[in-house]
Each structure stands twice: as C-alpha cells, then as structure tokens.
Amino acid sequence: MPAPHEIEPRVLPSLLVPGAPRLYAACFLLFAFFLLPLVVMLAGRSPLEAGAALVQGAAGNPSRLAESLSKTIPLVMTGLSVALAFRAGFFNIGAEGQMLMGALAGAALGAKAQWPAGLVLLGGALAGAAWALLAGVLKVRRGAPEIITTIMLNYIALQLVAFAVQGPLQEAARTQPQTDVLPPQSQLPALLPDTNLHAGLLIVLACAGVCWWLLFRTERGFLWRAAGANPLAARGAGIDAGRQTLQAVALCGALSGLGGAMEVAGATKQLGMGGFGYGYTAIAVALLGALNPLGVLPAALLFGMLDAGGKAMERTAGVPSVAVSVVIGILIFALAVAPRLRRTN
Amino acid sequence: MLELRGVTKRFGDFTALESVDFAIGAGEIVGLLGENGAGKSTLMNLVGGLHQPNGGEIRWDGEAVHLTSPRDATARRIGVVHQHFMLVPVFSVAENMALHAPQAVAVFHADEWAARVEAWARALGWRVDARRRVEELSVGERQRIEILKALFARTTSQKTKAESEAESEAESDDADETARLLLLDEPTANLTPGEADELFDVLRGLRARGCGIVFVSHKLREVMALCDRVVVLRRGRVVGEHPVSQTDAARLATLMVGREISAARPLRATSDHAAVPSPAEAVAALDDAHLTIRNLRCGVLRDFSLQVHGAEIVGLAGVDGNGQQELMEVLGGLRAPDAGTFEAGEAQTPGETANATRRAGEASGSAARTLSIIPADRQSVGLIHSFDLAENMALSRDLRAACRGRFAFDWTHARRTTRDLMERFDVRASATRERTPAANLSGGNAQKLVVARALQWSRGAVVAAEPTRGLDVSAARFVREQLRRAADEGRAVLLISTDLDEIFELSDRIGVLYEGRLLPDENLLPSGASRETIGAMMGGLVQGKGQK
C-alpha cells in the first residue's frame, strides 16, 4: 500500500472539483455508469428496472431524498476525517472506530446522563479525537504504522460498544443489546418530520466549509499539508512534522467522533450492537472527493444515494443491494490504481 | 583474464567513462582510485553486467563478451561486492546465499544449505555459522558474507550434505564454484581498521588461490598496502596506471585530484578580514553571524567541531560517506545528534542581535530559525513535488510570517513574492509560473528555487551541501555567485562539497571531512592550499592529532 505522501492529490480524479483532469473524470463516470447495469445483468435482472428502482429509491420523493441525505451526513463527517488525515500524512482507516467511540460517548451522555444535545456532540467529538490520537501518538512517537493500528482500534471500539450496550449502558428493560432512546433534550431536531433527516445536515455543511478553509486558507492547514506531502522537506524547513500530523489527527478524530454522536443523537436515537460501516466507505468518499473537503460533499451524497437507493432496489426490483457494494468496491479499486496507470503512460 | 578496450559509457549528455582501457589478470589485486564521480562505480557496473557500454569492448579470457545482466557476470564467475550491503537482515546466512544462487532453488533445504555454505567457507579458511541470521552479525562479519556470496559464483546442482562435505575435502572441486574475478566497491567503508586488516588477509588469501581482485577505494593507504597495481580515474578517464612498487601515495593523490586550475574567476572574498580574523574580530563575529558546531557525534561523525565566522565561506571537502550526510541531517534538524551542540547567529541588523543554540536531543530549536539549509538532496528534502512553487516558497518561515493574516493566510502576497523571486533568480517554469507544481521544474530551476528560499529572507548562517551537483555550467555559476553574495552580506556560509573545483573556487578557508573528523584539526587551510595537500587528506594520508 502506498504511503500517504506518495499519492498526489492533484492527479486523483474528481468529477466535481475544479482543476482535476476532466477527460479522465468523464471516462471514470462512464465506467461507473456502465458497471452497475453489468453487475445487475450478471445477477439475472433487468438493468433498466433495477436502475429505475435505484433512482426512485434514492431521490424519488422528498422522504426518499431525506433518507439519502441522512445517510450522507455520517459519510461527510468520516469522509472529511479521512481526507484531512490523508493530507496530513496519516492514512486513517480508523474513521469507523473513531465514529463508534463518538457514538458511544454520545449515547452515554445522552441516554444515561441526559445532557443537552450540544454537550452530547462535544463529548462525541472529544472521544473520537482521543481515539484517533492513540494511533497518532503511536505513529509519530514510535513509528507504528497507522494503517494497522487504526484497523485494530476499530475492532476494539466495536467490542467496547458491544460491551457497553450489553452492560453499563443497556436499556432499562434489559431485553435488547441497545441503549435507551435518548431523551428529547439530547436529540438533534429533525429537519423533515417523520424522516431520519436531522439538523446534523447543517453541521455537516459547516464542517466541510471550515475544513476547506483550514486546509487551503490558513497557515495551520498549510503546515499540515506540508507535513503530509513530504515530511522530510517539512522537517528540513524547520517544521515539526510530527506535531502537525498529531494536530490534524486530533481534528480528524473529532470529525469522525462528531459524526458518530450525530448519528446517535439525530438518526438512530439510540445505540445498538454492530458497526456503522460509514468509516470504511469514507475512504472511497475521500478519494472520490480528491481529498478536498468541498469535494467530499458531493462524493458523500453520491454514496449516500447509492446506499439508500440500493436498499430500495433490493425491495422493489429484487436485485440484491450488494450489487451496489460490488460497484463501490470496483470504484475504490479503480481510484487507487488509476493515478499509477496515468503516471507510467 | 579481463580486459576493457576503449570502453565508453554515457548517461544522457553525461559521459561517465571515456575510452577507458583496463586489464586485470589472475592472482592480481588492482586498485581503482578516484574521486566521487570519477567513474569507478560505472566501471564496476559495466563489468558486473548492470550497465552496458556505449562503445569499446569488454573481453573475458580473450574473447569479447556482452554482459547484459548481473547473472551473465556471475555465470562467467565474476563476483561483485557492492558498497552497501545487499543482504536480507532477517534471513539466515544460508538463506542469503541461496537467494544469490545462480540456479533457482526449487525446494530449500535449510540444513543442507547451511552445511554446504559452512563447508565451503571452511575451505576458504573462514568460520561461518550459516544458521545465524544476518542481523545478528557484526558489520565485519556481514562484509565477509557479502564476499562469500560474491565468491559463490556457480552452483552446479543441488548437492547432498555428504557430497558437499566431501567437496570441502577436495579443494580442486570447489574451486570450480569460486569466482575468478572479484570486484569490491569501497569494501572498507563500513569497517573498523582492525576489520579492514582482516579483510586484507582474506583478499591476499584469495589472490594466492589465483583470484583476480579489483579493489575500488579512495583510501590511498589501503591501496598502497594491498594492491599490486593502481589505476587512477579522473572524470571518466584513466589518468595514471602504476605498479604500487613504483609509485607513492603523494603522487597518487595528485593524480586523483588533478592539477587543472578552474578557468572560472575565483569567487573568493577580496577583503582579507574574513579570511584571517583577529581574535577581537573573531569574538565580534561570534556575536552576530557565525555558525559554531561543537563536538558533534552522530553516525560517522566523531567529535566534529567547526566554527564558521560571519562573512566567510568555509569549504568542507571530502569523499562522500565521511560524515557529510550526518552533518547535513543534524544541521537541518532531520536527525538528533548523539552528542554535541551547534549554534547559529544572524548577521547583525542595527539594534538587534540574535543568537540561538540547539542542544543535542532537542526536537526543535531556534537555531533552525537562523540557519538556512540548502540540502544536497533537493528532490526529496528541498522541495515538495506535489506543491506548487508558491507553496514551496511558503515553507520558509519568514515568508509565512509576512503572509500571516487575521483570518486567512495571504496567498496573494505569497504568490506575488514568489513571482518576483522567480524573476530575480531566473527560475524558469511553464506559463503557469508560480502555480507550476515543483515536480515540473528542471534540476537547475529547482535548485535556484531552493537557493532563493534559503537566502532571500533570513540573515542567518547558510549551510549548502552539493549546491551545484547536476547543474549546468550557467546555473552552477549563478548558485555559486549567490553563495558568495550571502557571505559578502556578512553571513557565515558552510559549503559541503565533494567537488574540489567548487571548494577551491568559493572557499575562504578549507577543511577536509575524513572518517567523521575535520582535518586539519588545528587551523583550517587557507584558500590557496595545494590540491596535493587536500588530496592527501581526502585519501587519509594526513591524520589529525590523537589518531594513529
């Protein structure tokens, strides 16, 4: 696997970010466009019918669109987390774990302590930051590869959640492995009644904007990018690269953790067993968004719609939603391989 | 046995070897002497099959051969020992040997191989524990394994343990496997003097068995002690060939560094206050613009101390690998020294003096702020490829300070400044100018950018390592002029270069870095020092006090 600084953000294709190679992006879009029908045909179904079901399910009516958007919210947070960390030279595979820790902290502060939503979110962000810093400090001070430590920390987070919802945080009824529903003051208000779409959407937009500003319009962000793009050159210029990386890692953990807390306080309203999976899709979101916070927004929306639409497709057209996963997998592969193909030509 | 006739090797426009004739017979040790870039390694790589010549021919046992791969060379029983170890540390000795076997090993029998390697080494008079992992071995032992590997030129087939045992009894049998020609590239670079002596005994033993040995080195004493004949290369040409008995080290040193005087006007200080500061002046210089390095220990560096005063250029000559890299890494803040300190001052601006010290082990210190570094490796340390030129300039603390805004970093200012600097330093990029990614700059333009960044804002001491390596004549000239100007402005400039011509052209005082120590250890040489003196120091003929 290439080290973060070996991947040049500039050559990553992006459909939406200005300055990205246009022709290449167009080919990429076409490729994705034809890939899904092919997979559907392999599954023995009509691609037209499946496609219609997918689009219908993702954006057919306001409530479907709200569903897509509510899936987009955690993808933006984790996507920002991965993109930011990547820019600072930290290959964050741990967005999932950081998100879980944020959700756990949010559930504890909400369902148990019954704190107001603002503090629930803050607690989630801090928990995520602390979780990410574990891997960050191990990397910067001891040279432990973050690709391994963050993946391992994901499993630890998963088990901590499992322990909590069956133990100290389990619902009062003690029947299911889940927490109580958060009290109203701990919840994020819904944007559309009777949907999962919550006020986190506004927070997400603000986060993307702030991250972009930080990365490209402030000295701090410049130092992070320098430390990520070439730690040797950064250190040679008197920049403490390890410190920059740690700062960025803390922020990216906070973003994931906030995403987890928002998921609990806004969408699910309680915490159950199992992982979210958003933290892994986030890697694809970040790459498709060209590691640019503003690119992450549309990329997350695309994946959010694919997710929501895929489930609808399964229900109405009988095409298993894993067909979408297959396409996403191939896209990630293409994203990782494509810049290298380009360079050798 | 081996003969090179009129061999020429070019890399692009650069001619590494030009019409080189070279021959070696069985049972002979030939020393190959030369500075960095003289063509020693290229010659080795041609014979070792890594490169192919552009002209001339290589003859082996009287017939012309085309060595297209290292395997070709091995098949002809030519063994190569590279300067850097080519061993897999976590593998055992036997496994490393098997890895090198010319015939693929389908099934690896660890015990069989270990027995075989040990028996084989015993035949050479060495004791080797082939089951030990390479990482457990000392440097000297590893060197021996490298030689063993190179000697292990041919394996006929998988042999049983019994057979290999039997073979060790009969020397004539295993001689068939032994390399007939051994090429050694700076084999003593990593060895202590004692280990080097042991190595020489081994090589003499091989010579007695009829093995031809090419010994590449820049250490004159070793060449004189070991070799039968010496060939001196300079700038890709053979400039001398003598039996060791009919020459002496001083003559070889002269041949190695050459006599030609650089045609360029020397860029030395015209006033003599910088060259020989009086004690009072020295103290004054210490107060404002100096670079003082005290008892630095790091890697090869052993108690390295040096003081560069304001307004002078001190040239540090020496062959690569004698501590240059460590010195740069420590001064550049990439590596913490084991011991020692350095401090750098700033050229005085009225009403203000700055002085900062970085102690050993401190992660970051203010010395970095007053010290401008022009790293030897501009591609990986000097620039960030994926960043555009303005972003690369913003790596300078001083430019960033000027661009600091209340809410945002003032990229407009950074870009405008970069554009101005590019004009002034004649950095040529594409039409996108300061938005060009640094990866798209040519070597000369990249170096000008690095130099511009190092010299533009700060008033502190400058350390430049190989500042003109790989540059064309005009770019090199420009960079040297900039360094001279920095000294004229009162800054202390330390020039670390393996290019002697550059050292002579720029330096006010000259020192030599040899095996991590500064020579001479009392007073540095004046700019008019003879090439012979410096060559002798580079070759290790002159030792500092307190050394044997």
Side-chain angles (χ1 to χ4, degrees):
Chain A
M1 189 167 298
H5 63 269
E6 285 175 48
I7 295 183
E8 292 166 42
R10 262 170 229 280
V11 298
L12 284 172
S14 169
L15 315 178
L16 311 137
V17 177
R22 292 268 163 74
L23 180 68
Y24 184 63
C27 293
F28 195 74
L29 190 64
L30 278 176
F31 175 63
F33 187 76
F34 285 110
L35 202 58
L36 185 60
L38 200 72
V39 173
V40 170
M41 273 157 74
L42 282 175
R45 304 283 167 177
S46 151
L48 276 179
E49 196 187 322
L54 182 73
V55 173
Q56 191 69 29
N61 57 52
S63 86
R64 298 305 318 162
L65 191 60
E67 179 64 21
S68 293
L69 283 175
S70 80
K71 296 230 181 284
T72 303
I73 291 171
L75 281 177
V76 174
M77 296 309 289
T78 49
L80 287 175
S81 168
V82 173
L84 207 77
F86 210 120
R87 288 271 186 180
F90 188 89
F91 207 156
N92 185 17
I93 317 285
E96 180 76 13
Q98 294 141 24
M99 192 180 168
L100 280 168
M101 292 310 283
L104 184 59
L109 295 178
K112 209 78 183 169
Q114 313 216 325
W115 285 8
L119 289 176
V120 167
L121 297 190
L122 184 66
L126 290 177
W131 204 244
L133 273 177
L134 271 179
V137 170
L138 280 173
K139 175 193 166 85
V140 170
R141 300 272 174 259
R142 286 282 172 266
E146 73 274 23
I147 293 177
I148 293 173
T149 52
T150 51
I151 291 178
M152 293 303 141
L153 283 169
N154 285 349
Y155 288 106
I156 297 175
L158 199 58
Q159 297 309 319
L160 278 177
V161 167
F163 164 73
V165 297
Q166 295 175 93
L169 293 185
Q170 197 178 13
E171 58 182 353
R174 299 259 165 212
T175 51
Q176 297 292 317
Q178 60 190 26
T179 62
D180 282 317
V181 172
L182 271 66
Q185 78 270 18
S186 302
Q187 288 187 17
L188 278 172
L191 280 188
L192 271 182
D194 301 325
T195 66
N196 278 334
L197 185 59
H198 52 86
L201 185 66
L202 306 175
I203 298 176
V204 151
L205 290 173
C207 282
V210 168
C211 283
W212 180 84
W213 183 262
L214 258 175
L215 263 188
F216 297 110
R217 287 291 176 271
T218 68
E219 187 181 357
R220 173 86 24 237
F222 171 73
L223 296 180
W224 291 349
R225 286 191 291 129
N230 184 344
L232 265 187
R235 284 166 64 196
I239 298 166
D240 185 347
R243 194 171 142 169
Q244 304 305 327
T245 302
L246 278 185
Q247 291 174 356
V249 165
L251 178 63
C252 80
L255 287 166
S256 294
L258 180 58
M262 288 198 304
E263 190 66 5
V264 166
T268 61
K269 314 281 199 298
Q270 65 189 139
L271 182 64
M273 289 267 277
F276 294 109
Y278 295 120
Y280 297 113
T281 314
I283 298 164
V285 168
L287 287 176
L288 189 64
L291 303 180
N292 183 323
L294 296 186
V296 162
L297 284 177
L301 181 64
L302 178 71
F303 279 96
M305 290 173 82
L306 279 176
D307 190 1
K311 293 211 171 75
M313 184 174 73
E314 189 167 56
R315 284 192 302 271
T316 55
V319 178
S321 66
V322 284
V324 172
S325 307
V326 170
V327 173
I328 291 174
I330 294 174
L331 283 187
I332 295 175
F333 182 76
L335 277 168
V337 170
R340 298 193 173 258
L341 297 179
R342 234 171 88 86
R343 204 179 306 171
T344 49
N345 284 343
Chain B
M1 189 163 59
L2 175 80
E3 198 180 347
L4 270 64
R5 287 191 188 166
V7 164
T8 299
K9 177 68 190 174
R10 278 183 293 271
F11 297 100
D13 296 337
F14 177 70
T15 306
L17 287 177
E18 198 166 351
S19 316
V20 167
D21 296 320
F22 180 84
I24 178 168
E28 190 183 21
I29 302 183
V30 177
L32 198 55
L33 264 178
E35 284 186 280
N36 290 109
K40 294 172 298 187
S41 297
T42 310
L43 199 152
M44 293 262 303
N45 289 338
L46 288 178
V47 179
L50 275 175
H51 295 320
Q52 284 72 50
N54 298 102
E57 61 177 3
I58 300 174
R59 301 176 76 87
W60 180 246
D61 284 340
E63 55 184 286
V65 289
H66 292 280
L67 302 168
T68 52
S69 75
R71 226 144 243 221
D72 274 3
T74 314
R76 292 190 165 79
R77 295 163 65 189
I78 299 172
V80 181
V81 177
H82 296 278
Q83 187 176 354
H84 303 287
F85 292 148
M86 305 270 187
L87 297 169
V88 184
V90 295
F91 277 16
S92 73
V93 171
E95 283 166 339
N96 269 288
M97 299 287 275
L99 206 57
H100 179 68
Q103 279 177 354
V105 182
V107 181
F108 180 76
H109 300 288
D111 288 342
E112 226 169 78
W113 267 91
R116 191 163 161 209
V117 168
E118 278 172 23
W120 199 73
R122 207 158 44 235
L124 288 169
W126 298 352
R127 298 192 62 82
V128 169
D129 182 355
R131 285 179 185 82
R132 283 181 76 189
R133 295 210 287 181
V134 166
E135 61 188 358
E136 298 167 6
L137 303 179
S138 76
V139 176
E141 286 172 310
R142 285 184 208 194
Q143 179 71 271
R144 199 169 290 180
I145 301 302
E146 278 286 3
I147 294 173
L148 201 60
K149 208 174 75 175
L151 283 172
F152 202 52
R154 211 161 69 180
T155 51
T156 39
S157 63
Q158 280 273 26
K159 290 171 188 162
T160 65
K161 195 172 170 181
E163 269 175 317
S164 63
E165 293 275 359
E167 189 181 296
S168 69
E169 312 290 322
E171 225 173 69
S172 61
D173 234 50
D174 79 271
D176 191 42
E177 282 192 350
T178 312
R180 292 174 55 203
L181 177 66
L182 196 57
L183 308 171
L184 298 154
D185 193 358
E186 303 271 358
T188 57
N190 299 310
L191 302 187
T192 63
E195 287 171 332
D197 286 342
E198 280 174 36
L199 173 70
F200 292 168
D201 288 340
V202 165
L203 295 181
R204 288 191 189 103
L206 289 171
R207 172 173 61 185
R209 297 164 66 103
C211 184
I213 297 170
V214 180
F215 183 82
V216 176
S217 182
H218 64 267
K219 292 179 185 167
L220 293 163
R221 236 161 1 109
E222 294 180 351
V223 170
M224 292 297 294
L226 179 70
C227 300
D228 304 310
R229 196 154 52 87
V230 187
V231 174
V232 185
L233 281 176
R234 175 157 167 80
R235 305 215 157 152
R237 291 168 180 275
V238 174
V239 292
E241 183 172 353
H242 301 283
V244 163
S245 54
Q246 290 169 30
T247 188
D248 57 63
R251 263 171 71 191
L252 291 178
T254 310
L255 277 176
M256 192 167 89
V257 297
R259 280 181 177 282
E260 63 210 75
I261 304 300
S262 169
R265 169 178 57 93
L267 286 164
R268 257 179 244 125
T270 39
S271 56
D272 53 7
H273 78 275
V276 193
S278 69
E281 276 168 327
V283 171
L286 188 91
D287 279 338
D288 48 274
H290 67 104
L291 170 65
T292 307
I293 303 167
R294 286 194 202 94
N295 303 322
L296 216 56
R297 261 181 218 209
C298 181
V300 194
L301 287 180
R302 280 179 267 166
D303 289 322
F304 179 89
S305 298
L306 173 68
Q307 181 162 26
V308 185
H309 304 295
E312 72 163 347
I313 298 181
V314 168
L316 206 48
V319 180
D320 234 354
N322 278 291
Q324 286 92 340
Q325 197 186 342
E326 286 89 346
L327 186 57
M328 268 319 272
E329 285 178 354
V330 169
L331 294 179
L334 294 182
R335 186 166 167 178
D338 300 329
T341 60
F342 68 91
E343 55 188 74
E346 254 181 281
Q348 215 158 17
T349 44
E352 188 193 10
T353 52
N355 213 335
T357 308
R358 184 188 289 187
R359 284 183 208 294
E362 252 178 32
S364 67
S366 43
R369 239 163 275 173
T370 48
L371 197 57
S372 300
I373 302 285
I374 300 171
D377 187 354
R378 57 180 163 265
Q379 295 306 328
S380 64
V381 182
L383 294 170
I384 298 183
H385 278 177
S386 58
F387 277 18
D388 70 24
L389 301 188
E391 288 174 314
N392 269 294
M393 290 310 272
L395 287 175
S396 153
R397 195 184 296 268
D398 303 274
L399 177 59
R400 285 206 307 280
C403 293
R404 234 163 253 157
R406 199 146 162 215
F407 299 107
F409 189 80
D410 189 354
W411 278 111
T412 320
H413 180 70
R415 291 189 186 288
R416 200 187 314 119
T417 312
T418 304
R419 220 156 41 226
D420 290 349
L421 267 179
M422 284 171 69
E423 213 154 280
R424 217 140 49 74
F425 281 76
D426 193 29
V427 178
R428 284 175 212 169
S430 61
T432 47
R433 295 192 296 187
E434 81 279 2
R435 288 179 190 271
T436 312
N440 295 357
L441 282 188
S442 72
N445 284 312
Q447 183 67 345
K448 283 182 188 172
L449 195 77
V450 171
V451 169
R453 189 179 65 203
L455 300 184
Q456 177 59 22
W457 292 286
S458 102
R459 306 273 304 144
V462 182
V463 183
E466 309 289 352
T468 62
R469 184 191 275 169
L471 301 195
D472 63 44
V473 178
S474 67
R477 180 87 192 155
F478 183 84
V479 167
R480 286 176 193 158
E481 278 168 2
Q482 294 301 321
L483 288 175
R484 183 74 256 171
R485 180 177 298 173
D488 289 344
E489 284 169 0
R491 302 170 71 169
V493 179
L494 174 60
L495 170 70
I496 305 172
S497 179
T498 53
D499 179 350
L500 258 190
D501 291 336
E502 178 167 81
I503 295 276
F504 276 110
E505 190 181 338
L506 274 175
S507 309
D508 300 313
R509 292 190 297 152
I510 300 173
V512 174
L513 198 53
Y514 181 75
E515 294 193 335
R517 285 198 170 88
L518 179 67
L519 296 175
D521 51 6
E522 288 281 290
N523 290 304
L524 292 184
L525 301 164
S527 56
S530 72
R531 280 176 173 268
E532 287 77 7
T533 314
I534 303 231
M537 286 180 176
M538 284 166 64
L541 288 180
V542 181
Q543 299 270 304
K545 283 182 187 168
Q547 290 166 293
K548 62 158 188 174

